[in-house]
Amino acid sequence: MNTVLNISHSILGQPWRWRMLETDARDPGFAPDDLVTQLLLARGCPRDALDAHKAPSIRGFMPDPSIFRDMDRAADRLADAVQAGEQLAIFGDYDVDGATSAALMILLLRDLGLEARPYIPDRMREGYGPTGAALVRLKDEGATLIVTVDCGAQAFDALAAARDAGVDVLVVDHHKCAAALPHAHALVNPNRLDETEGAEHGHLAAVGVAFLLGAALIRTLRGRGYFADRPEPKLLDLLDLVALGTVADVAALRGLNRAFVAQGLKVMAQRRNIGLNALITASRLTRAPTSTDLGFALGPRINAGGRVGKSDLGVRLLTTRDPAEAERIAVELDRLNEERRAIEGIVQEAAELIALNQSNRAVLVVAGHGWHPGVIGIVAGRLKEKYGRPALVIALDDAGLGKGSGRSISGVDLGAAVLAAKEQGLLVAGGGHAMAAGLTIAEDHVDAFAAFLSERLEAAVARAMGDRALLLDAVLTAGGVTPDLVTAMELGGPYGMGWPQPRVVAGPVRIIKADVVGNGHVRAIVAGDGGGSLKAVAFRQADTALGQALLGAAPHRRLWLAGRAKIDDWGSRPAAELHIDDAAWAD
């Protein structure tokens, strides 16, 4: 069974297996000659593509934008607008992917001489995606072309209203599509069911699709001689936005997305974007951001605007020319993020009480009155992590209407299931992608919807949970977890969804000291048999079997600790620490 250290049942009840043998069983005897090669192969990189993946470049992974349906039609219409100086509006979603997609289009069009107007709907008053009223209002205020980003693929009524009002709409999206498509001048989405070559890139975030449209637009204008007397925009300078939106939207970091993030982090390190520079400062980052920082420091702060503040704060931050305004917005987003944390804690506590009674469900569906719709996606992610199965959290209002957000596990396509529920008449609206979905539902349909999801996804969830194992890349002594090791492993990145961070086993170790800090985190100092100590942290595990084992381990008992090696740079010299995912008794 390829078990690591013969551990078939850890403290968290799962087997430990080698990642390399799980993903490359065709040649289990292959012995790569360096750590990075081993990490890449273990994540599914073909051997003939090792060089490209060790240094992922845009040139090496970029497809011809024309392979996507409607791409050339969209680029032609945008080029017409640029050359004619039309009034153009960018309609974006209120999350990070929407904000970065809108900002990318606005900044690119600004460099082309056209100042586009952003429009981000208010989460509480308008909900997700374009409405007919909003699109018609934009037209009445002068817009002759509207581009929707990270939304619109299922906006049938809204786009019909825009058509009747006589305004062209370009849809740039990545969410799951039904067989029927709404009316639009062009609809660019790699997840269209009639997509052919472009379907290979269905894992792109909307900001990645927007980048490809930007490339097609520049090429179209170049062909028309638009740059005969003006410089071409440097599209690659906007890769910092693409990286941020891609990671924050939990898009799979394979193929083109790896190049987007790897190169985008390099651009971000130069801190050219005034707003991002201010946000990095407000996030108290003193070094160049990493992929992890995009997901856990920068992304949540931009999201906080759409969740509990003003929906357009993110776009305003990312497109401002004024450093003073950027600083004000970044500080406000940092404050809103703290407010979001407090609200999230209240909703999470209530949701977990309901989830306790759903142990027999394949998919957790919890609903409550008075829950803030801005945090339900985060709470759904927490439930998914805790119970190891897909989870949806629904905030019900006084009128009996619910706004829901869901998060899934690998191997279970939640977006397709939500779309199917909508087609069955169980939802007012809904859609998403494999790992995340959103919906609107009548309160009296919640139970039927929950039953539908459990029945539809039961087999997929059972397979995913049956295959559950902690995949590991290396076994080390406690003293082997060093800053040099962390630096070496980072060369196999960027890491994220679909390209998991390396996980190592350290031990056997004894617990020297363990206590609870922060919001249920277990902090420990451990020592190996050969001497040397290591700092370790198990996040949000104080009330789990893992946390209790760490806190209650007798001085003579030894454990193997599995987790991710990280750099702790709070002290005068960088040190390594282990973020614990699981443990197993060694004695």
Side-chain angles (χ1 to χ4, degrees), residues 23-77:
T23 59
D24 198 37
R26 292 167 300 170
D27 187 8
F30 178 75
D33 56 5
D34 67 85
L35 176 62
V36 175
T37 297
Q38 180 177 338
L39 293 174
L40 293 176
L41 291 174
R43 281 147 187 80
C45 176
R47 290 196 178 91
D48 59 1
L50 281 170
D51 289 342
H53 281 75
K54 285 181 178 180
S57 66
I58 302 299
R59 181 184 296 274
F61 286 94
M62 181 87 166
D64 181 349
S66 294
I67 68 172
F68 296 91
R69 290 190 178 275
D70 278 6
M71 180 68 83
D72 291 338
R73 182 172 171 81
D76 280 335
R77 181 65 184 88

Side-chain angles (χ1 to χ4, degrees), residues 271 276-285 301 327 330-331 334:
R271 299 177 77 148
L276 269 179
N277 182 41
L279 191 65
I280 291 169
T281 299
S283 302
R284 293 168 285 282
L285 292 174
R301 285 170 169 79
E327 182 180 0
V331 170
D334 187 54

